[in-house]
Amino acid sequence: MHRKNFGRNRVLQPSAAYTPADEQEVLDILDRHHGQSIRAVGRLHSWSEAVLGDGVQLDLRRLNSVLLEPDGDQFVATVGAGCQIKRLLKELNRGGATLHSLGLITVQTIAGAISTGTHGSGRHSMSHYVEEVRLARYDESTGQSFIDELSAGEPLLAARCSLGSLGIILSVKIRCRPQYNVQEHFTESRQLEDVLDAEASYPIQQFYLIPWRWSYFIQHRREDAGKRSRLSKLYRLYWLSVMDYGLHLQILFLERMLRSRRMIQFAFRRIVSAFLIRKWKVTDRSSSMLVMKHEAFRHIEIELFVRRDQLADALRFTQEAIKVAAGKESTLSADNQQKIDEHGMQESLDELQDQYCHHYPICVRRVLPDDTLISMASGGNQDWYALSFISYARPARRAGFSLFANFMAQSMSRLFQARPHWGKICPLEANELTALYPRFDSFRTVCASLDPKGVFQNDWTTALLEADGNVADIP
Ligand SMILES: Cc1cc2nc3c(=O)[nH]c(=O)nc-3n(C[C@H](O)[C@H](O)[C@H](O)COP(=O)(O)OP(=O)(O)OC[C@H]3O[C@@H](n4cnc5c(N)ncnc54)[C@H](O)[C@@H]3O)c2cc1C
């Protein structure tokens, strides 16, 4: 038996697979397979090696209960590990609540989403809001499975984003908030300063660097105490038909059928912007406004997190690297070229030259620093900005994107200490990755105490836990 992930870039071949009905069944499975390697999966929406494992596989989709309780003027929800975010949002909405933070899609499970630091824009990542994790693991002295509750100190900070490597998450207690409305509208600007200045008025905005047009489309967003707009349903229909499907079908046609770089570049320069209705202000419920049908068409993605003080340089570097990759330029600007030389990356840049034409808007989202050990936005005293690079090439034709993703991860981690999303393409070596996280050692210590035999690890997390990296200072 084998399963593939959403991106079709990972194949899972577990020795045994279970879909337990309740917590007791999870414990029974752990006891039956004592001494073997065991890993849980969510809905396999990660592209990274986080989902791999050739031992026993647990899919907790049947543990999907939601219990919402008031907590002062806020809420807290206890959610079964396998509950998908869309079901969770529905249940929360019934009680007048919602999540603080949401990614672009809602098909992930709560355990899967927090385990890789899933985030949206203008808030912390989802992991930050987790108050308690119920975890099935082994008691070292008896060898029996039992349920541990991690609700304080470093074990909680580790469990908030743990790459599946502490044990089997059974449920998650997560802070929620009253439901709210979001007002949104789009503008376009060529200046990054304009985009960043707008954050004061639109704290949950996100923006897109449009390749080949080289301007920013800003999705201004803020909480709105007003009612849902009369035209909110029409706006949703517009998003679904024009953006989620129309725009994406055009990109698929250009990338998969036409495969002409000139047409891709022309489309982004001239046509894509026509899909956007500027300055149409619409207010709708947050859980409708903040998500899209991004899972409608198969794709692959790498996302790199940089600190605010590195953002402008990182975006300039991105633009230059994309032009070199498409053969539009042969070198970078003098200062970026000097940095590439200093980091010994000229050969990789030469290899990338003329190999890949980027064909998707680069979404940039602001994430507030998380109180976790290893989520991408953990630590530091500045906001983080996540830059995402997506390819819609067919799975068999992703060689150019792989070269590009490798180059971007290598160069941006060296030049800007950029951290790749744990759930997306994550092409750095283990020691390069762990060096980006000042608290990775504390994470190791928690893993070693909760899972001393490493039965919940896969090859990737074992390499991370054994890596020896020089940790960068994060201001
Ligand atoms: C179309 C698309 C859009 C996306 N949009 C965003 C976005 O906007 N923002 C963002 O940050 N990310 C985004 N992602 C990434 C996605 O949120 C993460 O990869 C997430 O981890 C996937 O959740 P999942 O339920 O599919 O878990 P999986 O991918 O199946 O697993 C992820 C990790 O969680 C672990 N895990 C799962 N369940 C358990 C459990 N019960 N106990 C212990 N460990 C467990 C697994 O072992 C694995 O390490 C997107 C992905 C796709 C495909």
Side-chain angles (χ1 to χ4, degrees), residues 377-438:
S378 59
N381 52 19
Q382 298 183 39
D383 294 344
W384 294 84
Y385 286 80
L387 281 57
S388 87
F389 303 95
I390 290 178
S391 165
Y392 277 85
R394 287 183 201 286
R397 305 194 66 97
R398 286 176 176 158
F401 175 76
S402 295
L403 216 53
F404 174 71
N406 287 353
F407 176 79
M408 292 306 279
Q410 297 276 352
S411 55
M412 299 252 296
S413 66
R414 292 181 196 179
L415 270 57
F416 311 113
Q417 294 81 52
R419 297 168 169 180
H421 193 305
W422 289 117
K424 304 188 180 180
I425 293 294
C426 203
L428 299 183
E429 297 292 330
N431 61 339
E432 296 172 315
L433 282 168
T434 59
L436 297 165
Y437 293 89

Side-chain angles (χ1 to χ4, degrees), residues 168 181 194 267 280 364 385 460:
I168 306 300
N181 287 344
D194 293 346
W280 182 11
V364 184
Y385 286 80
W460 187 57

Side-chain angles (χ1 to χ4, degrees), residues 6-7 39-47 49-51 58 60 81-82 102-105 107-120 135 162-165 167-170 294-297 299 301 303 305 365 376 421-424:
F6 167 86
R39 253 178 114 69
V41 291
R43 291 299 172 116
L44 297 179
H45 273 61
S46 296
W47 288 275
E49 293 172 66
V51 286
L58 265 63
L60 275 71
L102 264 184
L104 284 178
I105 56 162
V107 290
Q108 316 95 319
T109 61
I110 186 75
I114 66 160
S115 294
T116 63
T118 296
H119 66 96
L135 191 75
S162 66
L163 313 178
S165 54
I168 306 300
I169 298 173
L170 299 170
H294 209 206
E295 72 280 19
F297 301 103
H299 59 270
E301 177 174 351
E303 188 169 36
F305 285 63
R365 292 181 280 179
M376 296 75 69
H421 193 305
W422 289 117
K424 304 188 180 180

